[in-house]
Amino acid sequence: MTTRPVAMVLHGGAGVLAKKSYDREIDHMRSLAERGKAMLNEGATALDVVEAIVYELEISGHYVAGKGSSPNTDNRYELDAAIMDGDTRNAGAVAAMEGFISPIHAARKVMESTPHVMLAGWGANRLAEREGLEAVDDPDSYYTPAAVPDGRAYATGTVGCVALDCEGRLAAATSTGGTLKKTPGRVGDCPLIGAGTWADQDVAISCTGQGEFFIRALAAGTVAARIRYLHESPDEAARWALKDVKRLGGDGGIIAVGRDGRIAAPYNSQGMKCAVLHADGRITAGVQDLS
Ligand code: ASP
């Protein structure tokens, strides 16, 4: 039994097409919210929970992350991920990593097995190999990229999770195949601590959308700073950051959970695939605003 409220939010990306059904993704995310609830109620740390949930999202093939990633213009799969522990502010990230099933596991290895915060490209691959992480033997048969609507470059499905555990610790994790048809070597906001991913003692945050705008808005760091210095709620701070992203010309969504269990899941794109474990134990899931 837990003594303090636990809470969690997960997302499957803020690229939602008006007429498409997302029932499969919503059911999947709801089942992961149930799983996160069970883990948190059994006393799992927020860090372990966000890693476990993002791993499930990665291997499902339902999102543009892990198995569902799309190739870059060289027909190669370069993936980004980050994880952050709010209590210690330890963080790990991989960028433009190739050839491994779980970028989020690799990010955690960067955090725990190296003195660094981020490894990119072949350095990330080499660490994953050294740590014995599961490799992708044949990228062409493993990855299951979604069709690109109208041939457009379209950010559809980064995944992320934020959690508050029964000891009051917060953590965030984000993983992505990046934007569709991206340039080789392009790195988005997800693995950049303070842009697409952040956790401290007040709040844990994961972003999704056109990464270039989230980087230029320092989106996740701005949410955290507004909570710390202006005492805004996670929802107020996330909405402010999204307005800034919009001012710059981008859109997307932000999930956040505060240390008191208040959650936020606003977006300014057409929708965001999302599931929430509220602090009162309720679980909700959908592509609409669940804040
Ligand atoms: N933010 C991701 C990126 O720019 C894309 C996404 O959220 O779907 O790499």
Side-chain angles (χ1 to χ4, degrees):
M1 285 296 291
T2 57
T3 46
R4 296 165 64 159
V6 297
M8 188 182 90
V9 190
L10 60 139
H11 71 74
V16 166
L17 302 171
K19 294 199 179 105
K20 190 171 181 307
S21 162
Y22 291 97
D23 290 351
R24 178 187 69 167
E25 288 83 352
I26 292 166
D27 286 349
H28 183 238
M29 290 190 299
R30 185 180 286 111
S31 72
L32 291 180
E34 295 283 2
R35 169 126 173 236
K37 179 178 178 177
M39 287 179 76
L40 289 164
N41 283 337
E42 282 160 16
T45 65
L47 190 65
D48 283 346
V49 170
V50 297
E51 183 185 8
I53 298 297
V54 166
Y55 172 70
E56 292 297 331
L57 292 161
E58 286 177 337
I59 62 170
S60 70
H62 297 343
Y63 315 91
V64 187
K67 186 174 172 61
S69 296
S70 288
N72 64 22
T73 53
D74 275 357
N75 213 29
R76 296 175 74 137
Y77 293 84
E78 294 184 335
L79 278 49
D80 302 335
I83 190 162
M84 188 163 187
D85 178 27
D87 205 33
T88 58
R89 292 241 215 128
N90 285 333
V94 291
M97 178 177 162
E98 283 186 90
F100 289 86
I101 302 279
S102 176
I104 202 64
H105 284 347
R108 180 120 185 219
K109 291 292 183 195
V110 173
M111 175 173 135
E112 289 178 347
S113 307
T114 81
H116 309 302
V117 168
M118 181 188 287
L119 290 179
W122 62 266
N125 305 343
R126 199 158 72 178
L127 175 82
E129 198 179 345
R130 199 180 69 211
E131 293 290 334
L133 298 187
E134 199 180 350
V136 172
D137 294 327
D138 174 16
D140 290 336
S141 61
Y142 178 70
Y143 292 106
T144 54
V148 182
D150 314 318
R152 281 180 299 168
Y154 200 79
T156 56
T158 286
V159 302
C161 184
V162 295
L164 169 72
D165 68 27
C166 63
E167 301 282 338
R169 291 169 300 217
L170 293 154
T174 315
S175 180
T176 189
T179 48
L180 305 189
K181 298 197 169 164
K182 66 185 183 183
T183 303
R186 180 263 186 191
V187 172
D189 58 317
C190 300
L192 302 182
I193 300 301
T197 305
W198 178 263
D200 59 23
Q201 290 184 341
D202 295 323
V203 65
I205 301 149
S206 172
C207 303
T208 174
Q210 295 151 333
E212 282 70 8
F213 298 98
F214 282 75
I215 294 169
R216 290 164 55 209
L218 192 68
T222 296
V223 174
R226 293 185 73 86
I227 291 170
R228 186 185 306 173
Y229 301 120
L230 301 179
H231 309 292
E232 288 184 348
S233 69
D235 192 59
E236 287 166 329
R239 285 178 198 279
W240 194 97
L242 276 182
K243 275 196 198 131
D244 200 33
V245 166
K246 194 84 176 176
R247 264 196 293 274
L248 296 173
D251 65 18
I254 296 178
I255 59 169
V257 60
R259 68 175 171 198
D260 57 2
R262 279 189 294 179
I263 65 99
Y267 55 83
N268 56 10
S269 56
Q270 289 201 29
M272 178 166 66
K273 291 155 260 170
C274 185
V276 180
L277 163 63
H278 300 267
D280 61 9
R282 274 178 312 121
I283 286 178
T284 52
V287 294
Q288 72 280 26
D289 197 336
L290 301 171
S291 300

